[in-house]
Amino acid sequence: MRVMVTGGAGYIGAVIAWELAARGHDVVIYDNLSKGHADSVAGAGELVKGDLLDGETLRRTLSSRRIEAVVHMAASSLVGESVAQPDRYYRNNVEAGLQLLSAMRVLAVRDLVFSSTAAVYGEPAKQPIEESDPTIPTNPYGETKLALERAFPWYARAYGLRHVSLRYFNAAGATERCGERHDPETHLIPIVLDAARSGGEVTVFGDDYATPDGTCVRDYIHVLDLARAHVAALDALSQDRAVAPAYNLGCGGNGYSVTEVVGAARALTGRPIRVRMGPRRAGDPAVLVAASDRIRRELDWRPQLQDLRMILESAWRWLEARPR
């Protein structure tokens, strides 16, 4: 199948592109390279430098490469930034997403796997979160992801779009080729591991949440497990199998707090990691842990790298292999 991955040169998108290529798909990576890295996908498929808001380039790419399905990863995705700059998030996540849907409609591309987030649930009343729980985002990031999700059923009804949204929160870990190298880095695990390597300091945003140790709790999932879930969802769509509108992706259990992640990183690296307590970040829920029973049952997806130590080890190997 000829598959286009938007944002495919980014951290998660690149791993998805490589996984699709390994499964025999012809891959086109569509990325404006504002955050992605061309070298991450060198050899995975054809890289087209383009922005989703550039409708002409987008339609030309879909048409000339005879794209049959899209994995939509491109988005702005920082909670705190979304609170400070909601205009940017509505433009990059909603407006750009609608441009993509319009181009797909014009060119009769029917299958779409959408990278969503557990942030659509906001501050959930119970844990773990199930797909049937209320979606009440507490920040523009979650709100803009949910806005696009809500458009899909209407496009399906009017234009025959076949879609599935995958909701997850904290992607982590690395493969041999791909790891986290955001600028600036905002994800906890690479920040903690970089502090272990450099002797730097980690800021913990809030230690007064209603959690066992006062720090936020999240469900960390290995990036390769995430990629395999996207491929499984795409396979289900292409085979015209019944799929749910949305699936949670998580590893089950109770998640890990920020303090637990720091402690596990200290144990793994054998190095001290200095911590400074800072104020809460706007829009951060105390706990986000996803129940993923539905996708395990319906798409036979099973995370293979779910242990926190395995996630940390893969990220540490990738980091240590790179120049300081």
Side-chain angles (χ1 to χ4, degrees):
M1 181 184 297
R2 293 179 293 277
V3 184
M4 186 173 81
V5 183
T6 71
Y11 166 50
I12 304 173
V15 180
I16 291 172
W18 280 107
E19 188 67 12
L20 286 166
R23 303 290 185 92
H25 296 286
D26 293 327
V27 182
V28 173
I29 298 104
Y30 191 90
D31 200 301
N32 64 13
L33 298 181
S34 61
K35 296 180 180 179
H37 303 276
D39 61 307
S40 293
V41 288
E46 179 189 3
L47 174 61
V48 175
K49 185 177 180 181
D51 196 291
L52 291 176
L53 293 170
D54 179 357
E56 181 179 349
T57 300
L58 177 59
R59 288 188 295 273
R60 184 172 64 248
T61 302
L62 289 169
S63 176
S64 64
R65 277 69 174 185
R66 296 176 292 126
I67 298 299
E68 299 171 279
V70 174
V71 178
H72 180 31
M73 305 296 299
S76 295
S77 59
L78 303 180
V79 168
E81 182 182 71
S82 78
V83 174
Q85 301 179 46
D87 175 72
R88 178 179 182 180
Y89 277 68
Y90 275 88
R91 183 173 64 254
N92 290 348
N93 295 358
V94 180
E95 186 179 344
L98 293 176
Q99 282 269 24
L100 174 62
L101 290 179
S102 177
M104 290 176 64
R105 174 182 61 82
V106 169
L107 293 161
V109 180
R110 294 180 60 195
D111 292 348
L112 175 69
V113 177
F114 177 53
S115 168
S116 191
T117 171
V120 300
Y121 297 108
E123 189 77 64
K126 67 177 181 62
Q127 299 290 337
I129 308 162
E130 298 178 290
E131 290 90 348
S132 57
D133 288 340
T135 48
I136 311 173
T138 58
N139 52 67
Y141 169 52
E143 189 69 54
T144 54
K145 286 286 192 175
L146 184 60
L148 202 58
E149 278 196 39
R150 285 175 167 160
F152 298 155
W154 298 107
Y155 277 72
R157 181 176 179 177
Y159 311 122
L161 178 72
R162 301 192 299 193
H163 61 93
V164 59
S165 298
L166 302 181
R167 297 170 176 170
Y168 46 92
F169 199 83
N170 278 18
T175 65
E176 289 186 10
R177 295 185 180 96
C178 305
E180 299 194 65
R181 45 176 170 154
H182 307 106
D183 185 18
E185 184 58 72
T186 61
H187 292 174
L188 178 63
I189 285 178
I191 287 174
V192 168
L193 293 179
D194 184 68
R197 187 167 75 154
S198 67
E201 185 177 72
V202 176
T203 300
V204 175
F205 296 101
D207 61 352
D208 58 350
Y209 287 95
T211 61
D213 61 28
T215 62
C216 286
V217 172
R218 295 292 183 262
D219 189 346
Y220 295 91
I221 182 167
H222 197 284
V223 65
L224 186 55
D225 283 330
L226 282 180
R228 289 167 177 164
H230 286 75
V231 175
L234 182 64
D235 288 344
L237 289 179
S238 66
Q239 295 163 13
D240 206 19
R241 290 156 48 196
V243 296
Y247 292 105
N248 289 342
L249 295 180
C251 292
N254 299 315
Y256 300 96
S257 73
V258 175
T259 297
E260 287 175 317
V261 171
V262 173
R266 285 173 176 150
L268 169 68
T269 64
R271 303 183 186 185
I273 300 172
R274 294 185 294 115
V275 170
R276 180 180 69 85
M277 290 297 170
R280 291 187 180 193
R281 292 183 300 191
D284 258 354
V287 180
L288 281 177
V289 178
S292 56
D293 298 335
R294 177 183 286 180
I295 191 169
R296 295 172 190 238
R297 182 175 64 251
E298 297 183 7
L299 300 186
D300 196 30
W301 173 79
R302 299 285 187 279
Q304 304 297 312
L305 304 164
Q306 64 187 42
D307 182 76
L308 178 60
R309 184 176 178 88
M310 295 173 70
I311 292 171
L312 287 166
E313 283 177 343
S314 68
W316 183 242
R317 283 195 304 270
W318 185 84
L319 186 65
E320 285 285 83
R322 295 178 59 82
R324 291 178 184 270

